Amino acid sequence: MVNCRNCGRANPPHLRACQYCGHALAVESVPRGALRGRLVLVRPDGSEGGAHPLFEGANILGRGSGPLFDADSFLSPVHLRCEIGGGRFVIRDAGSLNGVFLKLTEEEPLLDGAILRIGQELLRFDLMRPPKLLPDGTEVMGSPHVGYWGRLTMIIGRTQDGRIIDGTSFPLAGEAVTIGRERGDILFSEDGYVSGQHARFSIRQGRTFLQDLASSNGTYLRIPAERVVQPGIFLLLGQQLFRLMSV
Amino acid sequence: MTLGLVCDACDTLSPLSATLCSTCGAALGSKTVPGPSPAPRSCPNCGSEIPGQHRFCGFCGARSDGADLRPVWLAGPSTKTRLVLVGTDGQDSLSFPLTDGEHVAGRLEGAVMFPEDRLLSPRHATFVLQAGKLWVRDDGSHNGVYIRLRAPKIVPSGTLLLIGEQLIRVESALPDVLPYPDHEGTYFYCSPHRTARLTLVQFLTGGDVGLIYRSRGDTVTIGRELNDVNFPEDPYISGRHAQIVALEDGRFQITDLGSKNGTFEKVPKIVQLFSGDQLLLGQQLLRIELG
């Protein structure tokens, strides 16, 4: 059994979080190398908050890893893994519920099933393919398919059994589709955190891309598995924004 | 009625300006038929001569290749109950007289056959005339049979509507899922909570979902402009076309707002038809006349 560091009660060793209070249970103690970097909290007004040290080797972070993270109920107990070695920073989603989001700085390839955060919205991008006939030669009837290549869907919930609930959905056609609060092809007029014109989805030579249009609050893409990053990047973890700095 | 050139090889209608058949590529308007052509036959329905390579009688429209010898259209005036095909110009074109019994409609089967309409299943539906009453039965077609609303109608959640060129399913919005922690005590992050009363799902050619619209209010209007949901590119939709109202019992009232082309509802498995009803089977608009 493992005793919770927060409430002291005993938990079976296979649990990652205390079954009584939800606090992260002791993660394997990683031998610590030299200080290599910091994860610095960026407050909503843009000023810097506290910092969490990052060491050579594997750094595992989540709710319970320290005062910067403890109060965020959207963080998993084991949320992010940051490996530092030979001057390289590798960010990995450590099996979190809500994911690790990277703030876009330049145009980014957009893959089928990509998850993004814009303002307060959680969105999924799905590739769409040209219509096909059924095996018996019948064409499936529907609204005109004007060359749609993708669909942007708002994610509005998750059922108890883990099924994602889709909300409003927009098909994407043409070379580029702009989204924003006031201007663009798709408007999120109810979200005050979306900029007037915020981001652009585009397709070139059959490949799809996402670009932030100098929005105030940024466009964030969920890291599918792991990613080599440069110090200076911004990460959205749970409800909080952090900046990765090297030392 | 469309004017054009009928291909001698496959009977496809091509534009008057075409020189090659759009379907099989055979030369149009030329009489150089390669090889020996089959001998002319006489029509089993009206006795007119049919050139050997033709599948249908050019005078009465009966099928002449032996597959189905029943007359197809313009038959004798023995019955007044008929299906009238309405052309894209709104004018009556062909008419299909119905006698007591079953009449199959489809792309490859039946007396009411439209070989060029890919939206029809090979066997699509059956018209059943019995003691002066007419029904249409969907024979498990993929795209279904649609009937034009003649009055406001109350329909269940999940009903498919055709509005202009748009295929739209009306659904009750899912009940709201309240936030709850997962087994590790973590809450799921998602877009902000916005309660909806009804959902419209647009289906595209090929079956993909296109637009999903969630309405916070009980009433949604659909049309080309100035509605809750607009399809400005749709030439067949009226400015204000249809209205959908979510009722307290979870059903919906559908009202056509005097649109030019009508609002159509997908019929369940079988439905009784009355004089003046309009049906859409694939791209074919059929008006019902009961004698």
Side-chain angles (χ1 to χ4, degrees):
Chain A
M1 301 297 272
V2 178
N3 289 327
C4 173
R5 285 183 297 165
N6 186 47
C7 69
R9 282 182 273 195
N11 288 278
H14 67 275
L15 292 186
R16 297 201 298 172
C18 173
Q19 58 187 323
Y20 303 101
C21 73
H23 198 87
L25 296 174
V27 175
E28 75 221 68
S29 58
V30 180
R32 293 211 157 156
L35 182 68
R36 291 291 182 223
R38 286 193 176 88
L39 212 48
V40 181
L41 179 71
V42 181
R43 295 203 189 93
D45 63 3
S47 66
E48 292 190 352
H52 187 88
L54 298 172
F55 301 94
E56 181 87 10
N59 299 264
I60 293 166
L61 295 171
R63 177 162 41 90
S65 294
L68 283 184
F69 310 101
D70 291 354
D72 190 347
S73 56
F74 293 101
L75 284 178
S76 291
V78 177
H79 197 103
L80 166 76
R81 185 180 173 97
C82 176
E83 280 168 31
I84 306 172
R88 264 173 34 122
F89 289 73
V90 180
I91 298 295
R92 182 177 297 163
D93 185 336
S96 72
L97 176 65
N98 290 311
V100 174
F101 287 80
L102 178 68
K103 184 176 184 178
L104 296 192
T105 52
E106 53 195 30
E107 192 176 60
E108 182 81 17
L110 197 56
L111 305 178
D112 189 28
I115 306 284
L116 40 143
R117 276 172 71 172
I118 288 170
Q120 293 182 294
E121 313 300 329
L122 181 68
L123 303 167
R124 186 182 66 248
F125 170 79
D126 294 304
L127 276 178
M128 286 170 74
R129 309 202 180 280
K132 277 191 197 153
L133 298 180
L134 296 177
D136 70 4
T138 310
E139 182 181 310
V140 179
M141 184 168 76
S143 301
H145 195 306
V146 296
Y148 294 113
W149 45 266
R151 185 173 51 242
L152 192 61
T153 303
M154 292 169 72
I155 296 175
I156 59 171
R158 182 178 181 271
T159 60
Q160 296 272 2
D161 56 9
R163 197 166 45 81
I164 297 298
I165 303 171
D166 290 351
T168 306
S169 184
F170 306 93
L172 310 178
E175 283 176 20
V177 177
T178 304
I179 68 173
R181 195 181 69 254
E182 293 163 339
R183 300 186 302 283
D185 306 299
I186 297 172
L187 300 183
F188 295 91
S189 49
E190 296 181 344
D191 192 329
Y193 296 91
V194 174
S195 290
Q197 185 172 321
H198 199 108
R200 181 171 62 218
F201 297 82
S202 55
I203 184 164
R204 292 193 303 275
Q205 281 116 45
R207 297 181 62 204
T208 48
F209 300 91
L210 172 61
Q211 181 165 28
D212 182 76
L213 297 175
S215 69
S216 305
N217 293 312
T219 299
Y220 301 84
L221 193 60
R222 184 169 179 165
I223 296 174
E226 67 169 38
R227 181 161 172 141
V228 177
V229 297
Q230 297 298 322
I233 55 121
F234 289 91
L235 292 175
L236 194 54
L237 304 172
Q239 298 193 101
Q240 301 184 111
L241 182 63
F242 295 90
R243 188 164 198 195
L244 178 69
M245 310 294 278
S246 62
V247 172
Chain B
M1 182 73 88
T2 311
L3 287 178
L5 297 172
V6 175
C7 173
D8 283 340
C10 74
D11 290 340
T12 301
L13 192 67
S14 293
L16 277 172
S17 57
T19 54
L20 295 176
C21 171
S22 56
T23 298
C24 72
L28 294 172
S30 118
K31 288 296 157 201
T32 56
V33 179
S37 96
R41 288 157 292 157
S42 60
C43 172
N45 184 44
C46 71
S48 306
E49 181 176 297
I50 305 172
Q53 65 271 36
H54 286 196
R55 289 194 292 154
F56 293 88
C57 171
F59 295 90
C60 76
R63 194 159 174 165
S64 69
D65 58 5
D68 181 351
L69 297 179
R70 277 178 291 173
V72 178
W73 55 65
L74 301 181
S78 57
T79 171
K80 287 181 189 153
T81 296
R82 57 185 194 144
L83 312 174
V84 179
L85 184 65
V86 183
T88 48
D89 54 2
Q91 304 295 311
D92 292 356
S93 57
L94 306 172
S95 113
F96 301 86
L98 299 178
T99 50
D100 264 16
E102 301 206 341
H103 304 262
V104 171
R107 178 160 48 86
L108 303 175
E109 283 181 44
V112 185
M113 186 168 61
F114 301 95
E116 307 303 325
D117 189 343
R118 289 225 166 253
L119 296 180
L120 293 176
S121 290
R123 178 190 175 119
H124 199 94
T126 299
F127 291 89
V128 183
L129 182 62
Q130 214 170 13
K133 289 183 177 175
L134 180 64
W135 288 267
V136 64
R137 183 181 71 220
D138 186 336
D139 288 341
S141 72
H142 193 85
N143 291 319
V145 175
Y146 287 78
I147 188 165
R148 184 171 181 166
L149 293 188
R150 301 177 75 171
K153 185 161 181 204
I154 293 174
V155 301
S157 176
T159 297
L160 280 163
L161 301 174
L162 265 174
I163 297 171
E165 289 187 305
Q166 310 303 321
L167 178 60
I168 290 169
R169 191 169 68 200
V170 184
E171 293 177 0
S172 303
L174 291 167
D176 296 323
V177 174
L178 294 174
Y180 65 93
D182 73 355
H183 66 284
E184 294 182 332
T186 311
Y187 285 81
F188 182 66
Y189 183 91
C190 61
S191 291
H193 184 73
R194 301 172 182 118
T195 300
R197 285 299 310 271
L198 71 92
T199 303
L200 303 181
V201 181
Q202 176 200 35
F203 287 94
L204 304 173
T205 300
D208 253 347
V209 169
L211 182 76
I212 299 178
Y213 175 85
R214 285 162 49 86
S215 170
R216 292 214 196 177
D218 291 340
T219 302
V220 173
T221 60
I222 301 175
R224 201 174 50 251
E225 54 189 12
L226 303 175
N227 302 282
D228 301 303
V229 181
N230 297 298
F231 297 96
E233 315 283 325
D234 185 339
Y236 298 99
I237 210 164
S238 293
R240 282 170 54 74
H241 197 113
Q243 174 181 276
I244 300 169
V245 179
L247 304 175
E248 285 304 321
D249 63 3
R251 295 186 296 167
F252 300 92
Q253 183 176 48
I254 314 294
T255 307
D256 184 84
L257 300 174
S259 73
K260 184 169 188 296
N261 293 312
T263 298
F264 289 77
E265 174 209 357
K266 185 173 181 175
V267 305
K269 181 75 187 154
I270 187 163
V271 69
Q272 190 178 356
L273 301 173
F274 300 94
S275 254
D277 276 344
Q278 293 184 34
L279 294 180
L280 260 172
L281 278 73
Q283 297 174 308
Q284 313 304 322
L285 178 60
L286 298 167
R287 192 180 68 244
I288 307 302
E289 291 186 3
L290 277 171

